[in-house]
Amino acid sequence: MAKLLARVAPWFPSGKHTPGGVAFRTLGGKDTCDLWQLVNTDSTANVFMAAHLEAAGTAAPSSSGGEVIGAFHDSRMVSACWTGVNLVPVGMAGSDAAALGTLLGESGRRFSSIFGPAASVMGIWSTLSSFSAEPFDVRSEQPLLEIREPSPVPPTSTLRHTKPSELEKILPACAAMFEEEVGYSPYVGGEEHYRRRVANLIRRRHSLVDFDDAGQVIFKAELGTVSATTAQVQGVWINPAYRGQGLGAGYMSAVVNEALKLAPVVSLYVNSFNTRALALYRTVGFTRTGEFATVLF
């Protein structure tokens, strides 16, 4: 049974200690080095947490209300989980993940998604599901792919960074990609939050696009999460009018070239049932290095 240590998250229920069991507490600044050690055991799979630590400089709770919960065995941190709007586990073993899922469920908290290494995500979900409303989707098999050098495929030379003035032109393509991938509009609950997210990606030069002569998006992709070691590609989309023409490999090769300017590893994860995308990424030179999972609410 899990127990709760000092500096427990205020929304956690109280718990009892069982010898040899796992204990959870909210991490603080003094835990930053230990959290980095966990992240660096697989910096590609843990790019979300790495990017957070690089930006915040600390494991302590963020100003936006997110926090990192550490799992401890005999006072030694063995795994962790970002807990905010989303849940993102790091190195979470099956029994510890299940214990955290129970505590989160008993807390009454609600989340938009759980994503990360499959064993950790599905371990949390194995118990959290008993407390949760029916999820929108559970994607238990999402191959994690990476590439560490330029693709052998010639890159499409017209792919470029999106300009801030082009937000209105690219936003419909971003929304179409989201709806195709997730199954509902990113504007549910209001458009402004999603608009700010796309604008922020453009401002950081993490949005890549190519337009046709009529000003319509042909292809677009984002470097959604970037750390010093890994650039994770997200939001890959080709205009339906241009699909089936063999354009994807050249565009993805160009995406890889841009991403390698930011980090030595380029990664992405894709649904296992998306066989066309998997074939495309193999052609570009991506190799499978792990398994992700996502639970969407």
Side-chain angles (χ1 to χ4, degrees):
M1 182 182 294
K3 72 164 185 174
L4 306 175
L5 299 180
R7 294 197 71 253
V8 64
W11 42 266
F12 267 164
S14 60
K16 292 173 60 179
H17 171 55
T18 298
V22 60
F24 296 101
R25 69 167 167 83
T26 302
L27 300 187
K30 65 183 177 61
D31 301 301
T32 302
C33 289
D34 288 342
L35 182 57
W36 263 120
Q37 288 183 0
L38 285 177
V39 168
N40 288 335
T41 60
D42 190 341
S43 56
T44 298
N46 297 324
V47 62
F48 177 92
M49 191 71 80
H52 167 70
L53 285 174
E54 288 175 6
T58 179
S62 71
S63 58
S64 61
E67 58 194 351
V68 183
I69 304 301
F72 294 80
H73 288 186
D74 299 323
S75 301
R76 180 176 64 89
M77 182 161 56
V78 295
S79 60
C81 186
W82 169 261
T83 308
V85 175
N86 307 301
L87 295 175
V88 188
V90 174
M92 190 74 62
S95 59
D96 291 356
L100 179 60
T102 297
L103 289 178
L104 292 170
E106 290 175 345
S107 76
R109 286 278 299 267
R110 293 292 180 263
F111 308 96
S112 294
S113 70
I114 315 170
F115 65 88
S120 298
V121 169
M122 299 312 294
I124 292 172
W125 181 238
S126 70
T127 51
L128 181 59
S129 59
S130 298
F131 302 88
S132 171
E134 188 71 19
F136 180 80
D137 200 2
V138 178
R139 300 176 179 183
S140 59
E141 298 180 14
Q142 297 178 302
L144 176 65
L145 313 177
E146 70 172 48
I147 186 170
R148 295 171 178 258
E149 56 188 21
S151 170
V153 176
T156 300
S157 61
T158 49
L159 188 73
R160 60 173 176 80
H161 295 286
T162 309
K163 301 174 183 177
S165 61
E166 294 170 329
L167 173 62
E168 299 302 327
K169 293 175 66 176
I170 199 173
L171 196 60
C174 294
M177 178 285 306
F178 186 99
E179 191 159 352
E180 286 181 24
E181 173 66 20
V182 179
Y184 58 86
S185 170
Y187 299 150
V188 172
E191 180 179 333
E192 190 56 33
H193 175 76
Y194 189 70
R195 176 185 293 272
R196 286 198 304 269
R197 183 181 185 281
V198 175
N200 185 51
L201 288 166
I202 295 172
R203 179 183 59 80
R204 296 166 60 195
R205 293 175 61 81
H206 289 178
S207 171
L208 300 165
V209 69
D210 189 21
F211 295 100
D212 63 18
D213 292 339
Q216 298 297 308
V217 174
I218 302 174
F219 174 94
K220 71 94 186 172
E222 288 90 46
L223 307 179
T225 306
V226 179
S227 73
T229 60
T230 305
Q232 189 176 86
V233 180
Q234 300 173 357
V236 176
W237 185 82
I238 297 179
N239 189 321
Y242 288 91
R243 294 175 188 176
Q245 301 180 28
L247 301 177
Y251 278 119
M252 281 305 303
S253 178
V255 171
V256 169
N257 286 348
E258 289 301 319
L260 286 172
K261 296 175 183 178
L262 301 178
V265 179
V266 183
S267 77
L268 55 82
Y269 58 100
V270 60
N271 294 316
S272 59
F273 55 78
N274 195 342
T275 56
R276 293 184 63 180
L278 286 167
L280 168 65
Y281 296 139
R282 282 195 298 269
T283 298
V284 173
F286 282 87
T287 58
R288 184 170 181 166
T289 59
E291 188 89 13
F292 262 36
T294 302
V295 180
L296 296 167
F297 299 99

